[in-house]
PDB file of all heavy atoms in Angstrom:
ATOM      1  N   LYS A   5     192.668  -6.151 -53.025  1.00 77.00           N
ATOM      2  CA  LYS A   5     194.051  -5.716 -52.661  1.00 77.00           C
ATOM      3  C   LYS A   5     195.015  -6.899 -53.076  1.00 77.00           C
ATOM      4  O   LYS A   5     196.143  -6.474 -53.491  1.00 77.00           O
ATOM      5  CB  LYS A   5     194.204  -5.525 -51.215  1.00 77.00           C
ATOM      6  CG  LYS A   5     193.451  -4.321 -50.735  1.00 77.00           C
ATOM      7  CD  LYS A   5     193.615  -4.149 -49.161  1.00 77.00           C
ATOM      8  CE  LYS A   5     192.815  -2.900 -48.662  1.00 77.00           C
ATOM      9  NZ  LYS A   5     192.930  -2.872 -47.218  1.00 77.00           N
ATOM     10  N   LYS A   6     194.673  -8.129 -52.878  1.00 78.00           N
ATOM     11  CA  LYS A   6     195.586  -9.290 -53.305  1.00 78.00           C
ATOM     12  C   LYS A   6     195.785  -9.252 -54.835  1.00 78.00           C
ATOM     13  O   LYS A   6     196.833  -9.508 -55.286  1.00 78.00           O
ATOM     14  CB  LYS A   6     194.993 -10.508 -52.834  1.00 78.00           C
ATOM     15  CG  LYS A   6     195.842 -11.707 -52.709  1.00 78.00           C
ATOM     16  CD  LYS A   6     195.260 -12.954 -52.170  1.00 78.00           C
ATOM     17  CE  LYS A   6     196.160 -13.770 -51.456  1.00 78.00           C
ATOM     18  NZ  LYS A   6     195.532 -15.038 -51.012  1.00 78.00           N
ATOM     19  N   LEU A   7     194.747  -8.996 -55.524  1.00 75.00           N
ATOM     20  CA  LEU A   7     194.957  -8.990 -57.058  1.00 75.00           C
ATOM     21  C   LEU A   7     195.725  -7.818 -57.398  1.00 75.00           C
ATOM     22  O   LEU A   7     196.563  -8.076 -58.386  1.00 75.00           O
ATOM     23  CB  LEU A   7     193.484  -8.696 -57.540  1.00 75.00           C
ATOM     24  CG  LEU A   7     192.578 -10.114 -57.628  1.00 75.00           C
ATOM     25  CD1 LEU A   7     191.167  -9.695 -58.118  1.00 75.00           C
ATOM     26  CD2 LEU A   7     193.168 -11.112 -58.523  1.00 75.00           C
ATOM     27  N   LEU A   8     195.605  -6.664 -56.846  1.00 71.00           N
ATOM     28  CA  LEU A   8     196.464  -5.495 -57.165  1.00 71.00           C
ATOM     29  C   LEU A   8     198.017  -5.885 -56.843  1.00 71.00           C
ATOM     30  O   LEU A   8     198.848  -5.423 -57.651  1.00 71.00           O
ATOM     31  CB  LEU A   8     196.003  -4.303 -56.563  1.00 71.00           C
ATOM     32  CG  LEU A   8     194.803  -3.631 -57.015  1.00 71.00           C
ATOM     33  CD1 LEU A   8     194.408  -2.499 -56.179  1.00 71.00           C
ATOM     34  CD2 LEU A   8     195.002  -3.126 -58.510  1.00 71.00           C
ATOM     35  N   GLN A   9     198.235  -6.461 -55.725  1.00 76.00           N
ATOM     36  CA  GLN A   9     199.546  -6.863 -55.329  1.00 76.00           C
ATOM     37  C   GLN A   9     200.277  -7.796 -56.266  1.00 76.00           C
ATOM     38  O   GLN A   9     201.325  -7.715 -56.632  1.00 76.00           O
ATOM     39  CB  GLN A   9     199.648  -7.338 -53.859  1.00 76.00           C
ATOM     40  CG  GLN A   9     199.234  -6.344 -52.772  1.00 76.00           C
ATOM     41  CD  GLN A   9     199.110  -6.973 -51.421  1.00 76.00           C
ATOM     42  OE1 GLN A   9     199.010  -8.187 -51.295  1.00 76.00           O
ATOM     43  NE2 GLN A   9     199.111  -6.209 -50.378  1.00 76.00           N
ATOM     44  N   ASN A  10     199.465  -8.650 -56.792  1.00 79.00           N
ATOM     45  CA  ASN A  10     199.922  -9.635 -57.701  1.00 79.00           C
ATOM     46  C   ASN A  10     199.892  -9.242 -59.239  1.00 79.00           C
ATOM     47  O   ASN A  10     200.338  -9.999 -60.048  1.00 79.00           O
ATOM     48  CB  ASN A  10     199.293 -11.060 -57.497  1.00 79.00           C
ATOM     49  CG  ASN A  10     199.472 -11.656 -56.113  1.00 79.00           C
ATOM     50  OD1 ASN A  10     200.566 -11.416 -55.500  1.00 79.00           O
ATOM     51  ND2 ASN A  10     198.497 -12.245 -55.658  1.00 79.00           N
ATOM     52  N   ALA A  11     199.343  -8.113 -59.543  1.00 77.00           N
ATOM     53  CA  ALA A  11     199.022  -7.822 -60.803  1.00 77.00           C
ATOM     54  C   ALA A  11     200.393  -7.588 -61.635  1.00 77.00           C
ATOM     55  O   ALA A  11     200.469  -8.117 -62.916  1.00 77.00           O
ATOM     56  CB  ALA A  11     198.239  -6.441 -60.943  1.00 77.00           C
ATOM     57  N   ALA A  12     201.336  -6.948 -61.084  1.00 75.00           N
ATOM     58  CA  ALA A  12     202.558  -6.695 -61.833  1.00 75.00           C
ATOM     59  C   ALA A  12     203.212  -8.033 -62.236  1.00 75.00           C
ATOM     60  O   ALA A  12     203.601  -8.198 -63.305  1.00 75.00           O
ATOM     61  CB  ALA A  12     203.453  -5.745 -61.194  1.00 75.00           C
TER      62      ALA A  12
END
Side-chain angles (χ1 to χ4, degrees):
K5 287 180 183 177
K6 200 174 198 179
L7 284 172
L8 283 175
Q9 288 172 348
N10 296 331

